[in-house]
Amino acid sequence: LDVAGYADSNGYLGDEPRPDAYRYRDWVIRAFNNDMPFNRFVMEQLAGDQMVSWKFGQPLTPDAREKLIATGFLRMTPDGTDNQEIYELDKQYDALHAVTEVSIKAVMGMNLNCARCHDHKFDPVLQKDYYRMMAMFRPVFDPDDTYPKPKAQRHWLPANIGWGVLATRFVPNATQEEVDKYVELSKVMDASRRKKGAQFAKLMAGARDRWRRAQYEKLDDPNRNDLLAAISLPDADRTEAQKQLLKAYADKYQVEDDDLAKADPIVAKARAEQEAEAAKVTEARPEMILGVWDVSPNVETRVLARGSYENPTEIVQPGVPLILDDPKDPFVPAKPEPSSPNSGRRLAFAKWLTRPDHPLTARVIVNRIWQHHFGTGIVATPDDFGAQGARPTHPELLDWLAVRFVEHGWSIKWLQREIMRSSVYRQSSEAAKAGLEADQPNKLLGRFPVQRLEAEAVRDSILSVSGQLNFTQYGEPIALCMLPDGSYFSDQTGRIDNKIEGTTRFFPPPCVTKPPASLPPERSAYRRSIYLQARRTYVIGFMAAFDAPLMETNASTRFTTAAPPQALSLLHNPLMLDAATHLEARAVKEAGPDERAQLRRAIELTYSRPARDEEIAFAFRRIKARADWSAGFRLFCQALLGSSELLYID
């Protein structure tokens, strides 16, 4: 998902939502869990839409649905064309270049960016090679014909419900009649919301004033009478001093909409009506798949002088880099019939990439898997196997694993087992003197490299040890909001409504509100971190401290730092304080009243090993010195959760 650049938002100005991107994330997880052969994994993501028969305006078969979801890979890069309805050719070309470059880096480990403007200065890649490969993707992202012309492919959703022209890039799993019904209902409800928006805003302002008046009446404050006099007047009749006074106290007396609805029956009724209208639209919305299809099957591609779309030159045919092509049997995708909806280019390209004798595809994924186990790949630059990339530390091993990987059916699980059963994986992290002298940076892996867990695994481990982790799989992303104290929780719907504008945003900026009393399991804030909302504009603070990447485009390598925010997060973040409380309760419940047994159980849960007697003796002595055993034990639990033994693999 890092390599694909997965995010639930679009990037660029406004960071618009991708409310259906999560289906691609779920598809990837299922593919790995089911050990989908990697050659098929690549083919479905690049060309799943061309591997099955399907049509707009008809429900999809289960197989067609899965393969169209897989093509979400080609929709993961930031796409500025979806942020506004203004037609801007530069954004169209940016999207086309991004999907070309990320796809080639992901599968072939070739960094082509330089060749966009000129022949590559270091690798044997021509500028024509770049545009030959871009020609594979241009039928999908054709800057001159981005928005499909046939009615069956145009504006499946009205732009005014919050997704703009992104609506033209969905595949609805529904009949034409169902889609038309949804569009019409959306328009009606949108008009109703806009009409009632100002009325509702006025109603809310009046209810908030009534609530504040009730608070001011209880005040023992010299300004009480002045406040009551000011709030009783219409805003137009208030003096400047009265307005300033009300503003000063309004900041102190804030009330959430939910609490206001509980206190005011009129507000409760109006909100219920709004929610009922919104529910009708939500229920009618067909399943939308963020996938791809060929908009312009027979489009031509030209080399762009200096990479500028304003300077097109000669026409090139879809192809692969000459250095990788077979002169005796060159890569030439078959031309489609004039009436065909598909160019067939991406499918032909995917088949070429997954040939058993392809020199890059198997090596690149083997290197990525090795990197996840050892922190660094055999080639330390997983996106660049070229002259500017790092030299492989063990080239023969990479070759051998790649060949064996293909021989074993492109099985990722076979590869994982092969690596994890090896002596190099199972060796100690302790550094012997001879090993340090021979290989101080440990590039040759004379010992297992100590690594810190990735940000998501840090959070998940803390929740797991404390007994809070929710193992529910799949589904919509969990939207987290930020409380005044900096802690995060999940709101019930993952949405926030702008009652004045009558619009809905799927992941607001950090919002200040109260956590709901209870949540269904699929909306729990304690689910695994992979199911939390991934935005391009910010990363959840706790995980940002532990180097979770900001997904500006994609991230093939995670960098690990040791910085003060990590220690501060482990000391003060509400996640840690809450987890320590739960770990204390879990240890007491599972160990019984014996205090030493409680300490032993807490260590076993955290470190997955037997507790040592000296650890228990030390902890018991220090906690007993405090007046309150429970408070001391809770601090001990927090220390365990923030310790290096939990956070690092050695």
Side-chain angles (χ1 to χ4, degrees), residues 55 183 195 262 549 606:
K55 289 183 179 180
V183 169
K195 181 179 179 181
K262 291 175 184 176
T606 308

Side-chain angles (χ1 to χ4, degrees), residues 201-274:
K202 186 176 180 180
L203 183 150
M204 291 295 288
R208 195 164 270 107
D209 279 348
R210 289 193 297 274
W211 179 86
R212 287 194 177 116
R213 186 200 307 272
Q215 309 311 309
Y216 297 158
E217 287 174 352
K218 303 172 190 175
L219 274 178
D220 182 13
D221 188 299
N223 292 320
R224 175 180 177 276
N225 292 334
D226 291 337
L227 279 167
L228 292 173
I231 204 169
S232 300
L233 294 172
D235 187 64
D237 296 338
R238 292 168 184 163
T239 66
E240 191 61 33
Q242 287 176 320
K243 291 178 181 179
Q244 291 298 323
L245 180 65
L246 287 174
K247 183 178 185 303
Y249 277 80
D251 290 341
K252 297 178 183 178
Y253 289 88
Q254 295 285 350
V255 60
E256 298 294 334
D257 289 354
D258 288 345
D259 293 331
L260 201 58
K262 291 175 184 176
D264 193 315
I266 298 174
V267 172
K269 181 181 178 183
R271 288 192 76 194
E273 290 173 355
Q274 278 195 337

Side-chain angles (χ1 to χ4, degrees), residues 167-178:
T168 64
R169 307 286 288 282
F170 282 106
V171 178
N173 188 8
T175 63
Q176 180 72 54
E177 183 181 1
E178 290 170 333

Side-chain angles (χ1 to χ4, degrees), residues 232-368:
S232 300
L233 294 172
D235 187 64
D237 296 338
R238 292 168 184 163
T239 66
E240 191 61 33
Q242 287 176 320
K243 291 178 181 179
Q244 291 298 323
L245 180 65
L246 287 174
K247 183 178 185 303
Y249 277 80
D251 290 341
K252 297 178 183 178
Y253 289 88
Q254 295 285 350
V255 60
E256 298 294 334
D257 289 354
D258 288 345
D259 293 331
L260 201 58
K262 291 175 184 176
D264 193 315
I266 298 174
V267 172
K269 181 181 178 183
R271 288 192 76 194
E273 290 173 355
Q274 278 195 337
E275 290 168 2
E277 284 193 356
K280 289 180 183 178
V281 178
T282 301
E283 290 170 7
R285 185 176 188 259
E287 179 185 49
M288 296 291 178
I289 293 172
L290 190 67
V292 304
W293 64 92
D294 283 351
V295 173
S296 310
N298 297 289
V299 67
E300 293 179 340
T301 302
R302 293 177 179 269
V303 174
L304 304 181
R306 297 180 297 282
S308 171
Y309 66 90
E310 295 179 326
N311 296 308
T313 60
E314 62 181 304
I315 294 173
V316 293
Q317 298 303 315
V320 298
L322 292 178
I323 191 68
L324 297 175
D325 209 357
D326 183 353
K328 297 179 181 178
D329 183 21
F331 174 86
V332 180
K335 289 188 177 181
E337 296 294 329
S339 60
S340 173
N342 289 321
S343 67
R345 296 178 186 180
R346 285 176 288 114
L347 183 57
F349 183 48
K351 289 178 178 178
W352 176 81
L353 281 169
T354 54
R355 286 172 14 189
D357 62 344
H358 195 282
L360 288 173
T361 306
R363 285 177 175 83
V364 168
I365 186 59
V366 165
N367 190 64
R368 292 192 192 281

Side-chain angles (χ1 to χ4, degrees), residues 600 603-605 607-613 615-616 645:
R600 186 180 301 277
I603 292 171
E604 289 172 349
L605 288 169
Y607 296 156
S608 299
R609 63 162 174 81
R612 292 190 283 268
D613 291 340
E615 291 173 325
I616 296 172
E645 188 166 346

Side-chain angles (χ1 to χ4, degrees), residues 3 38 42 46 73 99-112 123-125 129-130 132-134 136-137 319-325 331 348-355 358-368 379 381-386 398 410 556:
V3 172
F38 185 72
V42 169
L46 291 177
F73 169 72
V99 75
T100 301
E101 291 163 10
V102 169
S103 299
I104 300 304
K105 285 193 294 186
V107 183
M108 297 173 65
M110 294 179 66
N111 196 327
L112 297 180
D123 295 334
V125 178
D129 291 339
Y130 179 97
R132 274 195 284 264
M133 284 191 282
M134 194 174 85
M136 310 287 187
F137 304 100
V320 298
L322 292 178
I323 191 68
L324 297 175
D325 209 357
F331 174 86
F349 183 48
K351 289 178 178 178
W352 176 81
L353 281 169
T354 54
R355 286 172 14 189
H358 195 282
L360 288 173
T361 306
R363 285 177 175 83
V364 168
I365 186 59
V366 165
N367 190 64
R368 292 192 192 281
V379 177
T381 51
D383 278 353
D384 192 353
F385 276 41
L398 181 60
W410 301 78
S556 293

Side-chain angles (χ1 to χ4, degrees), residues 595 619-627 629:
E595 291 169 344
F620 183 80
R621 184 171 65 253
R622 296 299 296 269
I623 297 173
K624 271 298 186 182
R626 302 174 63 93
W629 168 269

